[in-house]
Amino acid sequence: THTAAAFTTWDRSSPCFVLDNVLRVPCSFVTHLGDAIDDKTPLLRSNDAVNKEGLRLLKAINIATDAKCINSFLGWEQEFFVIKAEHYNARPDLVNTGRTLFGALPTRNQQGDLNYFAPVPGSVKELLFNIQTIMLKLGVPMAVLHNEVAPAQHEMSPIYCQATFSCDNNVIFMEVANAEAAKLGLAVLFHEKPFQGINGSGKHNNWSVGTDTGLNMFYPGKTDETRILYSTAIACLSFGLKQYNEMVRSSVAGAGNDFRLGAQEAPPAIISLYPGTGFEKHVDAIIAGGELNYKVEKSTANPGANAAMAAPCGVEDRNRTAPFPHCGNRFEFRAVGSSQNCMFPITVCNTIMAAGMSELSAKIEGGMSHRDAVAALYKDNRSVIFTGNGYSAEWPIEAKKRGLPNLNTTPLAVGQFATPKNKKLFAEMGIFSEQECEARQNVMFENYNTTVKTEAETLVQMIETGIIPACATDHKKFAENEKLKDYMGERAATYKGVKTETDKLKVMISKIPHGNLAKEADYFCNTVKPQMVVIRNLADKAEGLMEKGLYPYPTYEQMLYDHHS
């Protein structure tokens, strides 16, 4: 930190644009010695690695040798919540942390809500159309806008494009969404889990790799050559996901995503590959000596009614419980969190794909046939392919047998980022030096620690200045009136519990260990966060006991439904 010089340089792969009379120039940001201190520079380096190793592989297998460039592509699906700005501003937890630290579920909850299939609420529709208009002027046509599963939750997605440009588009999208919401008296929440008990938000990264001649490595196509390349490319991806499983998991680690990964609404924290049940059988056939050509055709889904024609569908079904499922012509990295910058996850996807292509090229260049080299990759990495239910209780047990790690918290995941194996690959691919890798791990730990500490301190403040005074007022009414004492119920014990458990949290905060970021993260994860849950449960119980009007903050019912008009 004693060296201060840093410089921006134009990223020529992503176009400039003008917004609010300001020229925005996509940039790479590096130190005086060229070390990456942003998310863009590693992404650009990973694009170079994919290009280098992709062209090398095409030459080795003698397919598409006319290609002069390999690119990575991205289409993101941005989920978010929309609430009234007045409710947002009245909740210090939303303002300071992006999520509600307590709040009882409304009786309606989301199970009786048809948000996904209902019309978009009027105020939100106006917001989404305004965002769509501005993004189109910036050269970013939005392909999708709709309600999401939870009440007050929505999604927008752009047309698929080159990954660097797409990542930049997502950053500006989030800025535009916030600005346009404010004009309408609304607020957009990008946190992965702003409301406990309500579905969280992701940012599914639909990622692929292809040539400048229009060949998509993740699409089987209609020719023998493209289908052989398809089987080859997925072998490379399976190698990357198996050999660098922890790296992929750590790329989506964060305090917010910990509330989402592994729940029954998002992929598990166990990273596996879903290429489709039919392709899984093809993999086993290749390992057994079969050919690479994946001969399969698209099918139709028959509704079984005379008035409805059969609907065209893909080659394979889609598995929503998988963190890395195939979706026709791309793989969908479903584990990415809604508040994340896409650049880091895509950097890692590119890196592991380049690693797989390098491994396969080396085998072929060393004398193995194309078929045998692909079969060897599948055989060695077969355990990462899983086409079952990722939400099932049996999967973590099976995953452990397969040697797949279950890094279900951010401290566990981040602790596996800067391992010797990962450092070696990053260095070989020109993505991160050893120093850059260690620095990035430190930043991830520090972000986690800062986030949880902010949450804990905000919780204490809101309890002491809002919840406890409300509890005291409600309690006094019953305690000082003999006729009402029989109606006290659980108030005394609950209200006292809120104070007692909050005092315990204050002591825990005062004892945060310093000097070792990993140990500090472990303390926040396994000591501070569980105590916050205890307090939350009591505060939510208190909300259900106290007289209406005493609760000092906007309720879940108000935030989730008030703007639905």
Side-chain angles (χ1 to χ4, degrees):
T1 56
H2 63 288
T3 56
F7 306 90
T8 58
T9 179
W10 285 29
D11 165 20
R12 295 173 293 180
S13 67
S14 185
C16 305
F17 58 91
V18 175
L19 179 64
D20 296 332
N21 297 317
V22 176
L23 175 65
R24 304 291 187 95
V25 183
C27 285
S28 169
F29 190 40
V30 295
T31 69
H32 182 80
L33 299 177
D35 292 322
I37 47 176
D38 62 350
D39 284 324
K40 171 62 73 65
T41 304
L43 176 61
L44 297 179
R45 294 170 179 174
S46 73
N47 287 339
D48 291 344
V50 162
N51 180 55
K52 176 185 175 183
E53 296 301 335
L55 292 176
R56 177 187 173 193
L57 177 62
L58 294 180
K59 180 180 179 182
I61 63 177
N62 196 31
I63 292 178
T65 54
D66 58 331
K68 294 181 174 60
C69 180
I70 307 292
N71 292 306
S72 63
F73 299 91
L74 169 65
W76 40 266
E77 303 172 42
Q78 179 68 67
E79 296 175 346
F80 51 89
F81 282 80
V82 179
I83 65 173
K84 284 185 175 180
E86 62 183 276
H87 293 158
Y88 173 83
N89 292 324
R91 296 273 322 204
D93 46 5
L94 285 178
V95 172
N96 288 303
T97 74
R99 74 180 183 96
T100 53
L101 299 173
F102 45 79
L105 284 170
T107 53
R108 175 178 173 181
N109 198 350
Q110 75 175 40
Q111 301 306 322
D113 189 83
L114 295 177
N115 190 61
Y116 198 92
F117 302 100
V120 178
S123 60
V124 179
K125 182 187 292 185
E126 183 179 0
L127 169 63
L128 301 188
F129 284 166
N130 289 349
I131 295 171
Q132 183 182 51
T133 299
I134 293 174
M135 294 303 292
L136 184 58
K137 291 178 181 179
L138 298 177
V140 187
M142 305 303 293
V144 172
L145 58 87
H146 60 80
N147 293 339
E148 254 301 331
V149 172
Q153 189 183 33
H154 308 276
E155 177 183 299
M156 294 186 74
S157 304
I159 291 177
Y160 203 76
C161 66
Q162 191 268 349
T164 311
F165 182 36
S166 187
C167 288
D168 284 337
N169 294 343
N170 184 249
V171 172
I172 195 62
F173 170 88
M174 296 170 79
E175 179 181 333
V176 168
N178 280 321
E180 291 304 307
K183 295 175 185 177
L184 299 174
L186 300 171
V188 174
L189 309 179
F190 287 112
H191 193 282
E192 286 77 14
K193 196 75 170 180
F195 302 104
Q196 180 174 281
I198 300 293
N199 265 34
S201 298
K203 178 152 42 191
H204 304 161
N205 279 205
N206 293 273
W207 164 79
S208 70
V209 174
T211 70
D212 59 337
T213 58
L215 197 61
N216 184 344
M217 291 187 176
F218 294 150
Y219 178 62
K222 299 179 180 179
T223 68
D224 290 344
E225 187 177 68
T226 58
R227 289 166 173 168
I228 290 171
L229 178 60
Y230 178 70
S231 296
T232 302
I234 297 181
C236 297
L237 179 58
S238 67
F239 172 90
L241 284 173
K242 177 62 170 68
Q243 299 303 318
Y244 300 97
N245 198 278
E246 297 90 344
M247 181 194 296
V248 177
R249 169 64 181 91
S250 62
S251 74
V252 293
N257 224 8
D258 277 1
F259 294 100
R260 176 176 163 266
L261 295 185
Q264 301 302 311
E265 62 185 63
I270 304 165
I271 301 298
S272 62
L273 178 66
Y274 177 88
T277 54
F279 192 82
E280 183 179 34
K281 294 177 182 177
H282 181 59
V283 168
D284 290 333
I286 292 173
I287 294 172
E291 62 178 23
L292 300 182
N293 198 339
Y294 184 48
K295 297 178 181 178
V296 66
E297 300 294 336
K298 290 184 177 180
S299 59
T300 56
N302 190 349
N306 291 332
M309 63 183 289
C313 57
V315 170
E316 300 273 8
D317 196 359
R318 174 172 168 266
N319 188 333
R320 64 175 290 106
T321 72
F324 228 98
H326 187 254
C327 297
N329 61 357
R330 64 202 184 276
F331 279 92
E332 181 186 21
F333 194 7
R334 293 176 59 82
V336 181
S338 53
S339 69
Q340 276 195 270
N341 189 320
C342 301
M343 294 181 190
F344 187 38
I346 295 301
T347 293
V348 171
C349 288
N350 287 345
T351 301
I352 65 164
M353 185 63 185
M357 292 190 292
S358 176
E359 178 73 12
L360 186 58
S361 295
K363 288 182 181 299
I364 296 171
E365 291 162 357
M368 292 183 72
S369 70
H370 180 183
R371 198 222 72 84
D372 289 351
V374 170
L377 245 62
Y378 277 129
K379 182 179 180 181
D380 292 343
N381 302 285
R382 175 65 178 83
S383 59
V384 82
I385 296 175
F386 177 67
T387 59
N389 182 5
Y391 291 169
S392 69
E394 294 79 17
W395 172 227
I397 299 171
E398 171 63 21
K400 186 175 181 180
K401 294 178 182 177
R402 295 182 179 210
L404 300 178
N406 186 3
L407 305 174
N408 58 3
T409 68
T410 289
L412 288 176
V414 173
Q416 294 299 311
F417 178 72
T419 60
K421 180 175 69 173
N422 289 349
K423 288 180 183 177
K424 184 174 183 291
L425 177 64
F426 279 132
E428 288 175 349
M429 294 295 162
I431 314 299
F432 291 123
S433 67
E434 182 172 321
Q435 182 180 7
E436 287 174 313
C437 197
E438 292 174 351
R440 191 141 308 240
Q441 182 182 53
N442 287 340
V443 168
M444 288 191 284
F445 272 132
E446 192 168 310
N447 282 344
Y448 178 83
N449 297 343
T450 301
T451 298
V452 180
K453 184 180 180 183
T454 301
E455 291 179 350
E457 292 178 339
T458 302
L459 177 62
V460 169
Q461 181 187 59
M462 292 179 70
I463 292 290
E464 292 190 331
T465 62
I467 299 297
I468 289 179
C471 290
T473 300
D474 190 63
H475 180 270
K476 182 179 180 181
K477 178 181 65 177
F478 290 89
E480 294 182 353
N481 189 325
E482 287 293 330
K483 295 180 180 180
L484 295 179
K485 282 187 177 180
D486 290 341
Y487 297 93
M488 178 72 78
E490 298 180 80
R491 285 178 171 81
T494 302
Y495 297 166
K496 182 178 180 181
V498 171
K499 173 67 167 62
T500 300
E501 297 302 329
T502 300
D503 287 343
K504 291 180 183 178
L505 179 60
K506 290 167 66 176
V507 173
M508 291 176 183
I509 294 173
S510 71
K511 294 182 177 180
I512 295 170
H514 298 290
N516 185 303
L517 290 172
K519 289 183 178 180
E520 187 176 337
D522 180 74
Y523 181 83
F524 276 119
C525 182
N526 297 307
T527 301
V528 173
K529 283 183 65 178
Q531 182 61 19
M532 292 173 65
V533 172
V534 172
I535 297 169
R536 177 179 193 134
N537 291 338
L538 287 166
D540 290 353
K541 185 175 181 180
E543 179 185 346
L545 292 172
M546 69 178 61
E547 181 181 348
K548 184 179 180 181
L550 289 178
Y551 192 72
Y553 306 109
T555 65
Y556 269 32
E557 188 171 278
Q558 291 173 312
M559 290 185 285
L560 293 170
Y561 298 112
D562 263 14
H563 65 294
H564 281 207
S565 59

